[in-house]
Structure formats: structure tokens, C-alpha cells
Amino acid sequence: SNTVAGFGGTVVFMAYLVGVIVVTALAGRREPMTLMKLGLALSIVGLALLGFAGSVATVFIGLFLANAGAAGIWITAPGLATAEVPAERRGLVIGFLTASIGLGTSMLALGTVLARSTTDNDDLWRPIYLFEGAVAAAILGAVWLLVRSPATAASGVGISLTSLRRLSHWRRITAAYVIFGAIAAGYLSFLAEALETDAGLSRGAVANLYLGMGLVSVVAAPFVGWLSDRFGRSVAKIGVMGGLAVGAASIALGPTWLVALAVLALGGLWSSYPSLTATYVRDHLDARQFGSAYGTMTIFYGAMAMVAPTGVGVLADRFGGFTVAYLAVAALAVAGVVILASVPSDART
């Protein structure tokens, strides 16, 4: 059932939440670069387990480790990438950082399609995870050998609301990010099934849309980041959250052509919001303080993201489709717009 499938999504986000908690607890005591390397190493182990998995238990362990390691990468990357970047260009730089995720997603989707068509096996998946692990290992090696990050002052602060209170309007910014966590997790966990069962798209069409989503995010994240540098973080976040509301409602109610356009647009919007939030936090804090504050904020985000897939699955089973579930996602986005609209806008918020 969709409820059971939603629980599977919950497990994935639970792993990410555990990783966020560990990384945030260590943020004030360990260098951000060290935590990033540990995250990469943990992800490699998880991907290797998935590549050689012979049981469901091994699959779940592999997914857990890979997603927990991802937290060590994302919680530290924005602070490290913007260490020498002026405030008026941080949105663009973190946007490019996020774009790399979209590029990787697109290449993985394309590679999956090619591998399955070449082998005439639509169920092929283990070699794909092994390839991901090999790429991650190469990246870890390159980071270890080539990247040198300046030392940062220890803060001794890990998981703490004190770090969040250093941010202007921290309650509303955090609340909007938590809402986005529910939107992203609920929207993505069932997107493929919703497109196939409700919109009537073929599996091939859905795969192409996923590829398109990744490609759109490569362009959208830096562009939205640049807009936030020029017009303010709040203006950009309101625009993205409003677009998420329109997109989710279009998937629920629109004709097939509008659904396809909405999916492509949501690819760019979904990738942009985390980078905007990360940029806002980085505007106010140094690299190590960033890890503590952004990590603490992401714990709340992760808790909501962990619950959302099950909630969407329950709604889909209750109403026999995803229309009501995606309208609920749209309603959450509207609530996010209302919260963000109450935050004063200036060049750095």
C-alpha cells in the first residue's frame, strides 16, 4: 500500500535526520572539512552495501548509511564553499553548489536509463549503486589530496537553540524551513507513482521528467541564488514557496501537459529553497557557527520530512489517489508563503 511505501520513505529521511544530529553535535568541536570527509566515507560504505546487497535488511542498512553520510556533506558544504565569498555573491555560489546536486541527479538518471536499455533489464540497480560509490570514492580522494581548508575557531556549540537565536527572525525562518521539509518529502516520495497512476504517464516518460527536473535545477538554483543576492533572501524564498504551491496544485488538478510543466518547474524550485535558507544562515554566521545553527534548524526540518511520506501515503490510500495529498502539499506551501511574507526584506534577508 501507499502507507507502507510512505514508511519506506520515512526510513530514508530518518537516516538523514540521524546524520544531521550527529554532525550538528560535533559541529562546534570538529573542523567542517573533517565532518565532510566523514560524511563522504560513510556514504561510500552505504553505497557499497547497496551494490552488494543480498537481502532487504542489507538494503535498508545501506540506505541508512548513505543518507546519514549525506548529512555530513550538506551541513558543512555551504559554509566551506563561501569561506572567502562576500555576502553579495553568496546566493550565487551556494546556488552553484546546489546545482551540482541537480547535475549529479540528471547524470545518474541518464546513466540508469542507458544501463537498463543496454542490458535489457529494467530491474537493474546494484551496479548503479556501485558506480555511485566509485564516484564518491574518487571525490573523497580528490578532496583529501587537493583541498586545504583554513582552520576555524572552535565554538563548543553543537545542537543548540542559542546558535539559531543569532539569526534575525529565527522562529519564522525555521518554521518556513520545517514546512518546506514536509513539502519536499511528501512531494518527492510519491511523485513517480502519482505521475504513472493519476496522470497516466508511462515509466519512460516519468524517467525523462526526472532527468528534466535535474537539468532544470542545474540552471535554476544559481539563478535563484543570484536573484536573492540582488533582491533579498526573503523575496526569493517567497517566490519559490509560492511556486511550490502552484506546482503541487497543478499536479493534483491539471491536465497532463500542465502536470509535466509543473514537475519540471518544481525541480528547480525544490532545489533552490534549501540553498536560499543556507545562504541566509551563512550571511549571519562563520563557517563553524553555520554548521551548528543550520544543523539545528535541519533537525526540525528532518523531523517533519520523516513524518511527511507516511502522511501522504495515508491520504493516497484514504482517497484512492494523490489529488488530495498534493493539494495538502500545496496548502502547506501557502502557509509557508504567509510566514515568509511577515519577515522584513533587505539585501541580506
Side-chain angles (χ1 to χ4, degrees), residues 87-256:
E88 62 271 16
R89 297 189 64 189
R90 284 187 189 131
L92 178 63
V93 170
I94 295 181
F96 274 116
L97 182 66
T98 307
S100 67
I101 300 174
L103 181 61
T105 301
S106 299
M107 294 302 99
L108 180 61
L110 181 59
T112 299
V113 171
L114 291 175
R116 288 176 175 175
S117 63
T118 300
T119 60
D120 196 24
N121 181 4
D122 286 341
D123 296 321
L124 183 75
W125 57 275
R126 288 183 181 87
I128 295 168
Y129 280 118
L130 288 176
F131 177 76
E132 286 186 74
V135 172
I139 292 172
L140 176 59
V143 169
W144 207 292
L145 293 173
L146 303 176
V147 178
R148 295 291 179 268
S149 177
T152 57
S155 66
V157 177
I159 301 171
S160 172
L161 287 179
T162 301
S163 59
L164 275 181
R165 292 191 181 103
R166 296 191 182 104
L167 304 175
S168 302
H169 321 295
W170 71 272
R171 289 185 180 86
R172 283 171 283 182
I173 297 298
T174 302
Y177 197 45
V178 169
I179 288 174
F180 173 76
I183 294 169
Y187 161 70
L188 288 173
S189 295
F190 291 95
L191 180 60
E193 185 175 354
L195 292 175
E196 290 183 23
T197 59
D198 285 19
L201 297 177
S202 67
R203 180 172 294 185
V206 171
N208 289 333
L209 281 176
Y210 267 81
L211 174 60
M213 284 174 61
L215 293 175
V216 169
S217 71
V218 172
V219 178
F223 178 67
V224 173
W226 174 79
L227 289 177
S228 77
D229 289 335
R230 186 172 179 83
F231 300 107
R233 313 298 183 215
S234 288
V235 172
K237 283 189 286 188
I238 289 170
V240 168
M241 193 69 80
L244 289 169
V246 174
S250 297
I251 291 175
L253 302 173
T256 302

Side-chain angles (χ1 to χ4, degrees), residues 18-30:
V18 170
V20 169
I21 291 172
V22 172
V23 171
T24 306
L26 295 173
R29 301 175 181 85
R30 297 289 185 270

Side-chain angles (χ1 to χ4, degrees), residues 23 35-41 43 66 68-78 80:
V23 171
L35 295 176
M36 175 183 281
K37 291 174 181 176
L38 288 174
L40 270 167
S43 293
I73 301 168
W74 178 245
I75 297 299
T76 55
L80 290 168

